[in-house]
Amino acid sequence: MRVVVCVKVVPDTTEPKRLGDQHVLVRSGVQGAVNPMDDYALEVALKWKDAQPDLDVVVLTMGPEDTRAIIKKCLAKGADRAVLVSDTALAGTDAIGTARVLAAAIRKIGDVDAVLCGVRSSDGESAVVGPAVAELLDMPQLTTCKEADLDGSARTVTATREADGALEVARAGLPALLTVTKASFEPRLANFKGIQAANKKEILGWTTADLGITPPARQVLVTAAGEPPQRPASQVLTGSAADVAQKLAQYLTEQKLV
Amino acid sequence: MSTIWTLAEIEGGELKGITHELLTAARSLADASGGLKVGVVALGHEIGGLVPLLGSLGADLVALADAPSLANAPADVVARVIAPFLQGQQARTVLLGHTAIGKDVAGRLAVRLDCGVIADATELKNDGGKVVATRSIFGGGMWSRATAAGEGAVITVRPRAVTPATGQSGRTAETLTVPVAEGSTTRRVETLELKQETSTTVSLGDAEVVVAGGRGMGGADRFGPVETLARTLGAAVGASRAVVDSGWRPHKEQIGQTGRTVSPKLYVALGISGAIQHLVGMRTSGTIIAINTDAEAPIMKVANVAAVGDVHEIVPALVTELSRQGVGAGA
Ligand SMILES: Cc1cc2nc3c(=O)[nH]c(=O)nc-3n(C[C@H](O)[C@H](O)[C@H](O)COP(=O)(O)OP(=O)(O)OC[C@H]3O[C@@H](n4cnc5c(N)ncnc54)[C@H](O)[C@@H]3O)c2cc1C
Ligand SMILES: Nc1ncnc2c1ncn2[C@@H]1O[C@H](COP(=O)(O)O)[C@@H](O)[C@H]1O
């Protein structure tokens, strides 16, 4: 069986972010990291692989060439191989365009039983790439999953997912797409053996031509960007607890917040 | 532009709050563009009774997809049912909530309509006949404005970003029927179990007021002030990752990059330092109040009111003061 994990390399959140030409995030020269939610998605796949060692876990990413070093970390944790779709024409692709490229790559990988995505990326913050990929591949989706079990013989996946203030246990037939949120477990770290093994694993490089597609046209234009309007300077309250509490209560009433 | 379409959210036969917000946003866009119509698509079973309310909330057209199998339909079914209808209507702008079901539908619908998605908009404006959406990016560190490159887009609107207008009882809407093709409602996802989370207070996503506690509370058994203040203000309880990781609070309460994003009217941060990954999840709140012993903590810079002091002293005094004024009495 084969599982594809979609992993996005995002700017490390401790680094300041910059917007460049056409208000597109400047990614080169910025320290990258695996999108935190995608780390959980990878962990779900690796847990499946722990139970079923012949499971083929493929990491798929679209991004610049210099994301290779970060994708290698996913291989060190236990993924079998990786595909990097990289093409200068893809810079600044929007969410649905990204989904079209990922879906084309998943078709090319072939015989995929499940696709795992993060719920959302920390830089795109759209949470739409996963469902869009599912639609393009005509798969059912289970979103905001906290844990999931793969049943190869029944050809189903059963997940515990967050659904509007409730926890839902839901099942879908394979092939299916799952988006994963922060789970109750922590993603594993790579050990020395894994890091050694990763050196021998393959990171395939594909372009849009390899996928037989033209780079998706941009369907969303960013027309402006800027710093948020300054919040009025903080009103600082100091003094005895009773004093501070009294001023807070007064503020809340005056501002009609209570 | 053509009719501005929205998708209603229905729970237990009632409209959810986001529907009011979407209709308010759509109505003001339509009015600003010189008399465009507002349409709303509603899926469910026996929902015809909602038409007058949808009309009074601003819809000119109410399109009903009414079938037993459409109550609480999963995203793939929703997209499959409404996409052909919206195409037939030559819909350009479609507004969904940036809610659980809205997010699930947005990507699928955009693929079918061959347009882009603008996610998590906090403000919508008409600019010379085009809809321009403002969204906060990098956790509120910056904002950006986006618009459709082509003719239209699916736009998800952040809950509570729009203040819902009060309905006008005189308005009426025309009812349309969304054809439901044979086989289009087949479900590929099966719910095995639904565990309502036993939340003592309001759920975070819907809360108008959030009281969140951090490591500064001092321990799992020292969260009393957070809960008491939340009860007094009718607020939901939130938490920083530090306290969730320490097992003091459940993950569903976590706010920030790896938790939930909230945008309540009032956010009260108790003993939270305000790391960037936390700010990401609450920065767009209306009013922020922080109580912290450290006047230099980053949260104190983003707060409207920064109260310097010990939460265990200030909060009990605040609760006493508020109840003296009759706030939270009887709660
Ligand atoms: C990839 C990644 C993702 C992350 N995601 C999240 C996330 O989603 N959400 C999140 O919150 N964090 C997240 N973090 C963690 C974040 O960086 C911080 O470590 C965390 O938010 C700190 O929590 P805190 O403010 O409760 O604790 P601290 O930073 O320890 O702050 C405690 C504060 O309490 C104050 N204090 C102490 N005693 C008192 C008292 N008696 N009265 C009043 N104030 C007092 C202190 O002055 C201090 O400011 C993430 C980190 C990483 C690397
Ligand atoms: N460029 C990309 N390469 C691989 N996966 C991606 C990419 N962009 C988004 N994804 C996947 O889609 C999820 C949601 O992203 P987003 O819609 O941007 O919030 C991410 O968590 C990833 O799993």
Side-chain angles (χ1 to χ4, degrees):
Chain A
M1 293 183 78
R2 178 168 300 137
V3 173
V4 171
V5 186
C6 297
V7 169
K8 186 178 189 184
V9 172
V10 297
D12 202 329
T13 43
T14 54
E15 302 272 321
K17 292 177 189 140
R18 280 188 306 121
L19 295 180
D21 230 20
Q22 295 190 290
H23 313 290
V24 170
L25 182 65
V26 175
R27 291 176 194 276
S28 62
V30 176
Q31 183 64 40
V34 169
N35 178 41
M37 297 296 186
D38 302 353
D39 239 346
Y40 289 105
L42 176 62
E43 182 61 28
V44 167
L46 294 177
K47 275 179 182 291
W48 291 348
K49 191 174 169 72
D50 291 340
Q52 188 184 331
D54 61 350
L55 184 71
D56 186 23
V57 177
V58 186
V59 166
L60 170 62
T61 190
M62 178 186 112
E65 270 299 319
D66 60 7
T67 57
R68 272 178 188 271
I70 292 151
I71 290 306
K72 203 163 168 187
K73 293 183 189 164
C74 300
L75 297 177
K77 289 183 181 186
D80 294 286
R81 56 207 171 96
V83 172
L84 166 63
V85 182
S86 201
D87 201 318
T88 46
L90 291 174
T93 304
D94 55 39
I96 298 295
T98 301
R100 291 190 189 280
V101 174
L102 296 176
I106 292 166
R107 281 199 197 98
K108 185 172 163 83
I109 291 167
D111 293 325
V112 173
D113 298 289
V115 179
L116 292 161
C117 286
V119 155
R120 65 169 183 274
S121 61
S122 64
D123 57 348
E125 300 177 39
S126 74
V128 303
V129 169
V133 170
E135 186 69 33
L136 288 160
L137 298 173
D138 193 24
M139 290 183 187
Q141 72 194 30
L142 295 170
T143 54
T144 51
C145 298
K146 294 174 74 75
E147 44 192 82
D149 292 316
L150 184 70
D151 186 336
S153 49
R155 293 203 50 78
T156 57
V157 58
T158 305
T160 303
R161 54 180 299 265
E162 285 174 357
D164 252 348
L167 278 183
E168 182 191 39
V169 182
R171 183 164 60 200
L174 298 179
L177 180 139
L178 280 71
T179 73
V180 180
T181 188
K182 184 181 190 292
S184 37
F185 46 78
E186 280 308 307
R188 69 194 62 190
L189 301 171
N191 58 25
F192 182 71
K193 226 177 95 194
I195 293 166
Q196 292 292 94
N199 288 327
K200 294 190 208 77
K201 292 178 181 170
E202 194 173 18
I203 304 182
L204 289 171
W206 289 348
T207 61
T208 47
D210 293 324
L211 296 178
I213 58 170
T214 48
R218 240 184 255 180
Q219 286 175 310
V220 172
L221 294 179
V222 179
T223 55
E227 305 278 331
Q230 286 288 309
R231 275 182 179 273
S234 305
Q235 187 178 332
V236 181
L237 305 179
T238 52
S240 75
D243 258 10
V244 171
Q246 201 258 324
K247 285 182 215 148
L248 273 177
Q250 192 187 339
Y251 178 87
L252 288 170
T253 342
E254 276 171 10
Q255 302 290 318
K256 299 196 166 47
L257 290 166
V258 289
Chain B
M1 278 197 278
S2 55
T3 301
I4 314 255
W5 283 95
T6 58
L7 178 67
E9 290 192 24
I10 300 168
E11 192 175 57
E14 310 252 353
L15 291 181
K16 294 178 79 171
I18 186 71
T19 311
H20 299 225
E21 296 165 26
L22 293 175
L23 283 170
T24 301
R27 189 72 261 162
S28 57
L29 280 176
D31 292 346
S33 328
L36 285 184
K37 285 187 177 171
V38 170
V40 58
V41 187
L43 278 78
H45 183 44
E46 293 174 348
I47 49 173
L50 294 172
V51 173
L53 178 56
L54 288 164
S56 76
L57 292 173
D60 301 301
L61 305 171
V62 178
L64 299 178
D66 204 321
S69 54
L70 286 176
N72 300 317
D76 53 342
V77 171
V78 175
R80 212 184 298 138
V81 169
I82 72 174
F85 171 80
L86 290 172
Q87 265 162 339
Q89 294 287 324
Q90 302 188 327
R92 299 283 179 263
T93 304
V94 183
L95 307 184
L96 310 179
H98 197 69
T99 53
I101 184 70
K103 282 185 265 191
D104 280 4
V105 169
R108 304 196 77 120
L109 184 61
V111 164
R112 285 188 176 255
L113 298 179
D114 194 18
C115 65
V117 175
I118 303 174
D120 203 12
T122 51
E123 200 186 313
L124 299 173
K125 282 232 165 73
N126 165 48
D127 182 7
K130 289 206 98 178
V131 177
V132 178
T134 303
R135 52 189 305 245
S136 81
I137 52 172
F138 311 151
M142 293 188 78
W143 55 263
S144 74
R145 285 209 188 98
T147 190
E151 293 194 276
V154 170
I155 303 176
T156 64
V157 180
R158 178 177 294 192
R160 302 205 169 279
V162 178
T163 312
T166 45
Q168 283 177 284
S169 50
R171 295 191 88 267
T172 52
E174 182 187 336
T175 311
L176 307 176
T177 303
V178 178
V180 180
E182 185 101 36
S184 67
T185 63
T186 311
R187 294 195 184 208
R188 296 184 286 181
V189 175
E190 185 190 354
T191 300
L192 303 179
E193 195 185 334
L194 203 56
K195 306 179 222 172
Q196 219 58 47
E197 286 193 75
T198 46
S199 153
T200 45
T201 44
V202 194
S203 92
L204 257 187
D206 301 330
E208 288 204 13
V209 182
V210 172
V211 177
R215 184 145 47 199
M217 296 311 300
D221 53 348
R222 306 198 69 213
F223 251 72
V226 177
E227 283 166 356
T228 315
L229 185 59
R231 220 174 301 124
T232 305
L233 298 175
V237 171
S240 72
R241 174 161 173 177
V243 310
V244 171
D245 283 352
S246 308
W248 300 356
R249 303 298 300 185
H251 176 254
K252 64 169 194 216
E253 292 180 0
Q254 184 175 316
I255 289 164
Q257 185 189 313
T258 39
R260 277 168 169 274
T261 302
V262 295
S263 195
K265 221 166 64 184
L266 172 65
Y267 188 88
V268 185
L270 304 177
I272 291 178
S273 61
I276 180 69
Q277 298 90 349
H278 185 82
L279 299 182
V280 165
M282 43 66 71
R283 206 159 184 169
T284 56
S285 305
T287 299
I288 299 170
I289 292 182
I291 305 181
N292 198 303
T293 41
D294 178 5
E296 299 303 315
I299 191 88
M300 304 297 252
K301 303 287 179 286
V302 301
N304 300 71
V305 181
V308 185
D310 188 333
V311 284
H312 292 286
E313 291 173 14
I314 295 175
V315 174
L318 175 60
V319 169
T320 309
E321 183 63 31
L322 288 171
S323 52
R324 208 175 52 77
Q325 299 177 9
V327 177

